[in-house]
Amino acid sequence: MKIFRVISTAAVLLVSFAYSTPVAHTKRFGKGGDVIRGVNLGGLFVLEPWITPSLFEQWNGSNRKVVDEWTFCSELGAYECTRQLKQHWSTWVTETDIKTLASLGLNHVRIPIGHWAFAPDPNEPYVQGQIPYLERIIRWIGKHGLNAVIDLHGVPGSQNGFDNSGKFGAIGWQTSQLNIDRSIQAVEGIARVAANYPNIVDAVEVLNEPANWGLSVDQVIEFYKRAYTSFRKIAPSAIMVVHDAFLSPSDWHKFNVPGWDNVILDTHNYHIFVKDRLVLSREQHLQATCEDARNVRSFNTQLWTVTGEWSLASTDCAKWLNGMEKGARWDGSLPWEMNGPVYQGATCSGQNSISAWDQDTRTFFRQFAETQMDAYEAGSGWFFWNFKTEVADDWNYIKLAQNKLIPVPPTNRIYSRYSLDSDRWNIKLNSTWCHE
């Protein structure tokens, strides 16, 4: 998951479409109808300390060197890293989880995975063995009537420097042609898995969250073009998903490449990693989703546009969300542009625990869930980040739904802005927060 842009675009799945006229199609993807409603299986094949802190608590102290999957395996060594990760792969996502997601009324699951599962290098500390676990999960997804998107979440050299790319630090992906070639090798490996499960895996995201501030966007698009050619030779009927590289909606047209078919634009939308969203009041958070709806609706007429990551977090207080041993902007424990907390007395105490939320807070989160669902369905749908977490409840779809803070099924909305029975392609927002 991540970060730095207020708006992003995620993975959409269609059976077939011409990129220039998406609105001509009424049924677009998989078993789930015309709108993607899904979750991410984050923290499984690409470790993120804030999702599963228990894996990282074996190291203590402020001089901690283990901050991502690269250092996790480097510190443990291949044998012990393989042992611990195989235990993790076999338990973090279970068939019960997939069955639960289906029972909550979802229709898709996005599965992040790193390049090292498909294009290993003996000079990297990563270990392999993920593919049998990946295929087992895909079979569970199909068994319970869902569809899958496989997402290449990390590439050699790191496309964004985030821990969720596998390696925290410098953005080095474009510094070597070998990095690009190995990324294509990973795309081809994922495409082969998709081709083996054509009725379950209906899309592949060829690169998650390339950071425009550390990369050449032109070279990102060239990679997408090369990936498209390689991908189509192996999985011709699957949809290819491209991320917006955190560019503003006014630049999304760069990804509408003439001649492409069955391609989706992915954007990610969080309210906590930039000042102009983090400082909003609860009412303002709800109002801000109106802009998000306008953006995805507008571009959805050019490329299917899906919000592939979002959450209910209105603070960045989740433990290690901003990196190992790092604090939060919210309470000023992380240095940032405000040089202090969002407001005097702001605290992270209780922010991420449902049991600590009063009724007003619970009402807000239910409203925030529904307004975001409404907004992203003005495009082609959404994937929530994440299906579950160990300690951060505002990122835990299953727990939120079980506590009635997310509608079950997703169409069972109390505060919805529009009728879900209305014209699917002419949604008008009309609520306390948005009027069109």
Side-chain angles (χ1 to χ4, degrees), residues 235-375:
S237 63
I239 295 164
M240 190 178 89
V241 183
V242 298
H243 187 264
D244 66 1
F246 300 108
L247 294 176
S248 67
S250 62
D251 288 323
W252 286 352
H253 64 90
K254 295 178 180 180
F255 303 104
N256 193 3
V257 176
W260 274 4
D261 188 32
N262 281 5
V263 176
I264 290 165
L265 184 67
D266 168 28
T267 189
H268 300 167
N269 196 349
Y270 294 110
H271 280 232
I272 59 172
F273 295 110
V274 293
K275 178 183 175 182
D276 63 347
R277 287 277 172 117
L278 183 61
V279 301
L280 298 179
S281 67
R282 290 177 173 177
E283 191 74 7
Q284 288 170 333
H285 277 294
L286 301 175
Q287 293 169 350
T289 63
C290 309
E291 177 187 354
D292 305 335
R294 286 190 289 270
N295 288 329
V296 297
R297 179 202 287 117
S298 176
F299 200 72
N300 199 58
T301 63
Q302 300 178 55
L303 279 181
W304 303 114
T305 304
V306 174
T307 302
E309 297 184 20
W310 61 284
S311 78
L312 292 195
S314 59
T315 77
D316 64 335
C317 286
K319 179 181 179 180
W320 299 340
L321 176 65
N322 295 304
M324 290 293 295
E325 303 296 347
K326 294 183 179 180
R329 301 168 186 81
W330 182 259
D331 65 358
S333 57
L334 179 75
W336 72 307
E337 59 191 288
M338 287 189 68
N339 296 315
V342 169
Y343 61 86
Q344 192 64 36
T347 176
C348 280
S349 177
Q351 294 288 353
N352 305 110
S353 175
I354 290 175
S355 63
W357 297 344
D358 59 22
Q359 188 55 53
D360 286 346
T361 300
R362 289 169 179 256
T363 298
F364 163 69
F365 278 124
R366 176 66 182 240
Q367 293 171 336
F368 198 28
E370 294 191 17
T371 56
Q372 288 190 85
M373 288 177 176
D374 284 353

Side-chain angles (χ1 to χ4, degrees), residues 373-393:
M373 288 177 176
D374 284 353
Y376 310 145
E377 289 177 15
S380 290
W382 47 264
F383 293 85
F384 187 93
W385 191 282
N386 197 28
F387 81 112
K388 69 181 180 183
T389 60
E390 288 184 342
V391 296
D393 291 349

Side-chain angles (χ1 to χ4, degrees), residues 391-434:
V391 296
D393 291 349
D394 43 349
W395 299 82
N396 187 329
Y397 191 98
I398 291 175
K399 191 169 183 179
L400 289 162
Q402 290 173 339
N403 282 270
K404 300 181 180 181
L405 300 174
I406 281 179
V408 179
T411 55
N412 186 28
R413 299 177 197 171
I414 301 170
Y415 306 98
S416 186
R417 300 170 182 171
Y418 62 85
S419 168
L420 293 174
D421 296 325
S422 66
D423 181 352
R424 172 70 187 86
W425 299 106
N426 191 31
I427 293 170
K428 298 295 184 183
L429 305 185
N430 185 17
S431 71
T432 303
W433 306 285
C434 296

